[in-house]
Amino acid sequence: MPGAIIENMSTKKLVVLVLFILVLQVVSIMVGALIAPSPTSAIRYLATKCIDRRKARGWLAPWGSKRCQQIHSFDEPLAQTLDANDIVFAVHVPLPHTEMSPWFQYMLAVLQVDIAFKMVNPIEDDVAITIDAGLAYRDDLTSEWSAKFHSVERRPLRCTFAVAKTYENEGRFYQCDPIPFMELGSVAHKYFLFNLRLPVNDTVNVGIGEVKDIHVVGIHQNGGFTKVWISMKTVFSPWILVMTAWYWHRISLMARPPLLLEKGIFALGIAMTILNVPAEWLSLGFEWTWMLLLEDAQQGVFYSTLFCFWVIFCGEHLMDQSRRNRLSAYWWQVGLVMFGCALLLVFDLSDRGVHLTNPFYSVWASESGMKLAVSFRNIGGKMQQLPAMPKARRLRYKGIIFRFKFLMLVTLTCAAMTVIFFILNQANEGHWRWGNYTFEVHSAFLTGIYGMWNLYVFTIIFLYAPSHKHGREKSADRQQTDVLEKPDSQEAEPTCGAQGPTEAYRITGKVAEE
């Protein structure tokens, strides 16, 4: 009767498989390092100060045929006659002679406010800035702007002043933290226009200092990286899908119901397939602002399934475990994983879910929201006992231990590579140069990690699938094992045909006693 492929595979074939996986891993890294550009681009825009005396709520553009009346500095004579409510900060995205594209996938915006120190108008402690923000779009340079979103938002203003607050230091600028401003889940139009107002009255925008300029940092995914990313998902998606279907076909040929561990591996394959679905192809032709939420949901399904699989795999390989092959035996661990994932889902819905109707919303806008976001057995002993066991049981335990150690080694390797790649990604300037070659480290990190977890799932599905091999020696060993264990357990074994239970079933399907 067949066991798992990993138990019947020779060392030579296993080495060949490991080398094959390593080659594919290197290829996935090099695709990001040599072919893909940097994952994102950040462009800094200086907001133009437009005059709006009539408060007509029309769209004011900083350049073009219908450019607004402008001032370059609040120190100009004209500016002295204006009220703070007469100023509109206008930003056109992108820069002149360029245009946005659906390949950019999403667009983020961060505000950087230049505030000068004045003894009569300093920044107060725990102050918030109120922004009346509007977003418009158009697809050519001659058409009128169409309103897309409008909202009045409050953001905490956190600034420090490096020198003493004296009259001699008036005019120096505060060092202010960037302000999260907007997250747009789709870039379906060519041109965007921001109009920002800082309304001032007796209770609004009091104690924020003297604002001189506003900078908008626009961040979007590079189109070249999007093409590489979608291509990788298009390649991995059918591969993992076919492997998952092949695995379940092998399981269905067995003359017994699937084990809990086998169902866990099958679920892991399905979760990886869901993560690999290249839905980004459709987002190129439709304005789907919920794509970021969909990507988070895909990753949540995969990682929650992966954690549950690790729990079940470790539990099913504990040789002293008396309750096996039942999900109820892991209700506490699996329930904890699902509870944590549910909390993350609620947090994601409270942030990116709201972005579907108001991209200016931010869960980090308040202190309470920020605090909520931030809050958001031993095999060695058995190895020593192996020499004292009967030969048949010793061989069977060695197979179980080998499978467990192999998966743990692969898992720890993947986790270690993830951490190492993340550290390298944070500790360098984004690319390395070697002669005439430029290596994009950020892109290599993303494509390498994505390829690694796909290869991890492929390896688990392939090596832990039932083997087709049959051997007289294994049949004799199982018969000997049944004779040795008969006094310990009087439970009747299910009658199986040529496609009987695997070695994993014989260990995990009933109590393993010494």
Side-chain angles (χ1 to χ4, degrees), residues 35 58 82 117 171 323 351 405 413 435 442 447 470:
I35 299 178
L82 299 175
F117 169 70
R323 300 177 61 192
D351 186 26
K405 280 191 169 182
T413 301
H442 294 176
T447 58
H470 300 265

Side-chain angles (χ1 to χ4, degrees), residues 1-20:
M1 286 180 285
I5 290 179
I6 189 175
E7 297 176 16
N8 298 286
M9 179 179 288
S10 64
T11 303
K12 180 179 179 181
K13 292 182 179 179
L14 185 60
V15 171
V16 172
L17 176 65
V18 171
L19 292 177
F20 173 72

